[in-house]
Amino acid sequence: MNNNPLIPSMNSQEIPPSDIENLSKNQLKNLMNFPDQTLIKFKDEVSFNLVPPSPEISAPVIQAMQGLVQIIAHLRSPNGSWPSDLPQTPENLIPYVTEEVSELLAAYQTHPISASNIKSDSFPKKDSSIQTPVILFLNTLISQLLWNFAQTSYQFMRLLTGINAEILLPHQDWTPGKLRLVASLIIKTENFQSSIDLATSDSPPTLITSEAYLQSNDCSFCQNPLEVQSFVRQITHHFQDNFQGFNLLNHPIQAEFLSPKSQWEPIEMSIEIGFQFIPDSKTSEVSPFHYFLENAPVDEELFQNTPIQDVEYSILASIPHSALLKTHVRLTDPNIIQPYIQTQIKYYGLHGLQRKKQLQLTNSVNSFLTLDSQTEESELIELIQITDELVDIIYSSKSSSSLIRLQPEIPLIDLSLRLLWQIVKSSYNVMQLMSGIQAKVLQPGFLWQTGTLRLLMVLSAEFLSDSWELDIATSQPLKFDLKPIIPESIIQSDWSELCRSPQSLVVLKLQIINLLETLPELQSWMKGVKIDWGNSNEDLELSPNWQSGLAQLSLDFEWIPAQPGSLE
């Protein structure tokens, strides 16, 4: 076993000395297959783990937009008395929301979204007299960069892991399938170039042509058909607007790398993005930890007419596993409705207003402050359109009817993914723990063990006749065969700053809870909220009746001991 605390000591793949000696200078690229033994040294000062400040909608704009959302939602509800023969267009909505949309326009004029709102002293200052180089293992750098992308926005996390979409290629028909944003780390030396897909830590897949068109209802970037090259530009601009830290997407950086039995060699690193598309007539949602956690195939027959003690998953709902993830949750608790609505305004409203700002720049519109009556009416219509899209997202994005309920309704899979993003963006260390880290554990009454420690975030719900537990990391029902760990155990891992020194599992759990409870939406879910659970889709097999109950987000740890004979 390697006793050096700076080198991962569990499950590292050893490179036979004979193989290394046989490598020539032109074959150094083969060492990229061993990212846990390749070091990257940065010449310039870099910082990864902080969440940098990003453009935000100001509180007055959020308040004004929330008021407009509520008015439009009421007008579109069964009790809104909207004329049945009048289309619900922004132009037709103006007479009913003139006061509210004018207040929103005034708030936006006074508090526009601008990068100048970001204070330069928001980043922690370091002692300039200490010039300690940052040295990381390549696999650590890959996961850091992936987190930097994923925490930027919920849309980025979904795109990195795959969304349902359609593609139109030249001389072909529209084809459904799975669309994934591929962010590749490019490493160049004088002798070779290597590319690594941040999501899979493998070679990037074949990317679709820039002339193709994409459309997806699961992504606000491409609700309408959009050419791939335009999509890539939007992604790049969005990342520029929302991430002010270490940014390889826009600025290549000089560094050095060192592999076993070699010398330090200068490199240039950058990130390139593109899209992978996998045609599939039966699309489905994917968890961001699809690439990190290996899940056994699910036997759907287990969930049909089977006694609960024989079921592999912790689910009492009398519907198939696949149908559970298609059910919906209605938010009925005021303690979660307001934070939820404000969160959607912050993210989707921000994107809508930034899109509006980009269109203004494209059309050379100078300012809101000198608007003639025709231009002002156009601005009001655009704001109503953005808000109307928010109403669909917040209350009933999948509804086939123009009428909505005033209690936000969310597909269970979407709720799981939204909670996951809130958790992941809270901290890089939390994302590491959710994907599983190599660790040592001393449980009372046992010897030290090596294995994998995984943070388990579980959304559980109890109803009068049903219950279920959802593993947030995998967006799957919680398995019965999880291996719990004794709370009084001691954890040590070279892979996480939270337990690089021996740490009590109780203290580690409290640290994570305190961190997550700083986010208002997560705080409400962790305390427990009232929800209704069911489904409005009549063609869903064994569709459950709507039931009222209580849902709660909790955390625990899973311990997976290393298999006998594995390398340490």
Side-chain angles (χ1 to χ4, degrees):
M1 177 181 293
N2 193 331
N3 294 318
N4 188 338
L6 297 178
I7 300 177
S9 56
M10 280 73 69
N11 297 334
S12 295
Q13 186 172 0
E14 300 293 337
I15 307 174
S18 59
D19 289 353
I20 296 180
E21 292 172 0
N22 292 332
L23 292 174
S24 66
K25 188 71 174 179
N26 293 330
Q27 292 175 317
L28 281 176
K29 59 183 179 180
N30 293 330
L31 291 177
M32 305 303 287
N33 295 325
F34 306 96
D36 59 341
Q37 299 190 26
T38 299
L39 293 172
I40 304 293
K41 178 169 67 176
F42 295 91
K43 295 181 179 180
D44 301 322
E45 182 178 339
V46 296
S47 183
F48 294 94
N49 290 345
L50 56 85
V51 179
S54 59
E56 292 185 352
I57 303 179
S58 65
V61 174
I62 291 177
Q63 184 177 1
M65 186 171 281
Q66 187 170 353
L68 184 57
V69 164
Q70 291 174 340
I71 292 294
I72 293 179
H74 174 72
L75 289 171
R76 291 180 53 185
S77 70
N79 297 325
S81 302
W82 184 266
S84 59
D85 58 343
L86 184 64
Q88 294 178 355
T89 63
E91 292 81 2
N92 290 336
L93 280 167
I94 282 185
Y96 298 88
V97 296
T98 301
E99 180 179 350
E100 289 77 15
V101 73
S102 298
E103 290 177 358
L104 175 57
L105 179 59
Y108 185 59
Q109 289 175 351
T110 309
H111 305 277
I113 297 171
S114 172
S116 62
N117 294 332
I118 303 172
K119 298 181 180 179
S120 59
D121 60 356
S122 299
F123 293 90
K125 297 181 179 178
K126 296 185 178 181
D127 187 345
S128 58
S129 65
I130 302 176
Q131 299 296 333
T132 304
V134 176
I135 302 177
L136 297 175
F137 285 100
L138 178 58
N139 60 343
T140 301
L141 173 63
I142 290 170
S143 59
Q144 293 267 15
L145 293 173
L146 178 63
W147 179 75
N148 283 347
F149 263 93
Q151 64 87 25
T152 302
S153 76
Y154 175 69
Q155 294 291 322
F156 265 32
M157 186 194 77
R158 292 296 310 278
L159 284 169
L160 284 166
T161 58
I163 60 173
N164 298 329
E166 289 185 295
I167 187 172
L168 179 63
L169 295 168
H171 312 296
Q172 296 186 24
D173 294 328
W174 283 98
T175 304
K178 183 69 66 176
L179 176 72
R180 183 171 75 88
L181 173 65
V182 178
S184 301
L185 175 63
I186 312 298
I187 300 179
K188 297 180 181 179
T189 72
E190 291 183 358
N191 300 313
F192 73 91
Q193 174 175 317
S194 181
S195 302
I196 304 173
D197 185 338
L198 296 182
T200 65
S201 295
D202 205 345
S203 297
T206 302
L207 304 179
I208 58 180
T209 175
S210 60
E211 288 78 25
Y213 280 81
L214 297 168
Q215 189 276 328
S216 174
N217 294 327
D218 295 340
C219 177
S220 60
F221 289 105
C222 56
Q223 294 278 341
N224 298 314
L226 184 66
E227 195 173 17
V228 168
Q229 57 185 357
S230 298
F231 201 171
V232 169
R233 284 197 297 268
Q234 282 198 26
I235 293 290
T236 302
H237 292 153
H238 186 77
F239 192 75
Q240 287 176 322
D241 290 340
N242 290 276
F243 187 78
Q244 306 298 320
F246 184 62
N247 188 351
L248 289 175
L249 181 62
N250 307 107
H251 307 288
I253 191 170
Q254 304 300 315
E256 297 180 61
F257 92 108
L258 176 67
S259 294
K261 292 292 184 75
S262 67
Q263 301 295 321
W264 285 105
E265 185 171 354
I267 59 173
E268 180 183 271
M269 294 192 301
S270 61
I271 288 179
E272 296 180 0
I273 60 173
F275 289 96
Q276 176 190 20
F277 190 85
I278 304 174
D280 182 11
S281 58
K282 296 182 179 180
T283 55
S284 60
E285 303 287 354
V286 178
S287 162
F289 292 89
H290 169 78
Y291 301 110
F292 297 105
L293 304 175
E294 295 182 359
N295 298 314
V298 177
D299 185 355
E300 297 295 339
E301 293 182 356
L302 288 174
F303 303 96
Q304 301 182 29
N305 304 318
T306 308
I308 187 63
Q309 61 269 22
D310 296 330
V311 179
E312 183 184 357
Y313 292 86
S314 179
I315 171 175
L316 291 174
S318 54
I319 60 174
H321 159 261
S322 59
L324 173 68
L325 298 178
K326 296 177 182 178
T327 59
H328 287 214
V329 167
R330 285 181 189 153
L331 305 181
T332 60
D333 194 326
N335 292 326
I336 193 62
I337 290 178
Q338 292 306 314
Y340 171 75
I341 292 176
Q342 291 173 0
T343 297
Q344 305 315 304
I345 290 175
K346 286 180 181 179
Y347 299 130
Y348 291 99
L350 173 64
H351 175 63
L353 292 174
Q354 285 180 326
R355 182 183 62 200
K356 174 181 174 60
K357 182 179 178 182
Q358 290 172 2
L359 288 174
Q360 289 174 331
L361 294 175
T362 302
N363 297 327
S364 301
V365 176
N366 295 323
S367 173
F368 273 127
L369 302 179
T370 56
L371 299 177
D372 56 36
S373 58
Q374 184 176 0
T375 305
E376 182 172 359
E377 182 178 358
S378 175
E379 300 295 342
L380 295 178
I381 289 175
E382 286 185 20
L383 289 175
I384 292 175
Q385 185 174 359
I386 292 172
T387 308
D388 198 39
E389 291 173 0
L390 268 170
V391 171
D392 278 333
I393 292 170
I394 293 170
Y395 291 97
S396 185
S397 60
K398 307 283 186 181
S399 175
S400 58
S401 169
S402 60
L403 294 180
I404 63 170
R405 296 177 178 272
L406 293 181
Q407 295 170 333
E409 183 176 320
I410 317 168
L412 183 57
I413 182 65
D414 286 358
L415 174 60
S416 175
L417 291 171
R418 291 178 191 277
L419 290 174
L420 175 61
W421 182 67
Q422 291 277 346
I423 296 166
V424 164
K425 81 184 185 77
S426 68
S427 164
Y428 167 71
N429 291 305
V430 169
M431 186 195 79
Q432 269 192 314
L433 283 168
M434 289 194 74
S435 59
I437 61 171
Q438 297 172 26
K440 302 174 186 176
V441 62
L442 179 61
Q443 302 189 69
F446 295 86
L447 298 174
W448 279 98
Q449 289 180 304
T450 61
T452 300
L453 179 72
R454 183 167 81 91
L455 174 63
L456 199 62
M457 299 298 305
V458 178
L459 180 64
S460 57
E462 294 282 344
F463 307 95
L464 185 62
S465 59
D466 286 301
S467 68
W468 42 258
E469 294 179 300
L470 208 61
D471 183 343
I472 295 298
T474 62
S475 295
Q476 301 291 326
L478 189 66
K479 291 185 178 181
F480 273 127
D481 61 352
L482 290 173
K483 302 174 179 62
I485 184 170
I486 299 174
E488 293 77 17
S489 300
I490 299 297
I491 295 291
Q492 189 278 325
S493 175
D494 300 333
W495 290 70
S496 174
E497 294 179 359
L498 296 178
C499 51
R500 204 173 294 279
S501 299
Q503 177 69 281
S504 164
L505 194 65
V506 173
V507 173
L508 180 60
K509 184 175 182 178
L510 287 174
Q511 287 179 335
I512 296 172
I513 290 175
N514 290 338
L515 175 64
L516 297 180
E517 286 187 342
T518 61
L519 303 173
E521 192 170 346
L522 288 181
Q523 184 183 49
S524 298
W525 283 103
M526 293 178 76
K527 289 181 178 180
V529 299
K530 297 176 182 178
I531 64 168
D532 287 348
W533 172 68
N535 196 68
S536 303
N537 189 356
E538 296 179 355
D539 60 1
L540 180 64
E541 182 182 4
L542 297 176
S543 181
N545 295 321
W546 284 95
Q547 304 178 59
S548 297
L550 183 70
Q552 186 171 21
L553 184 66
S554 60
L555 67 89
D556 208 335
F557 291 93
E558 179 185 13
W559 175 247
I560 307 171
Q563 296 296 321
S566 61
L567 293 175
E568 298 183 357

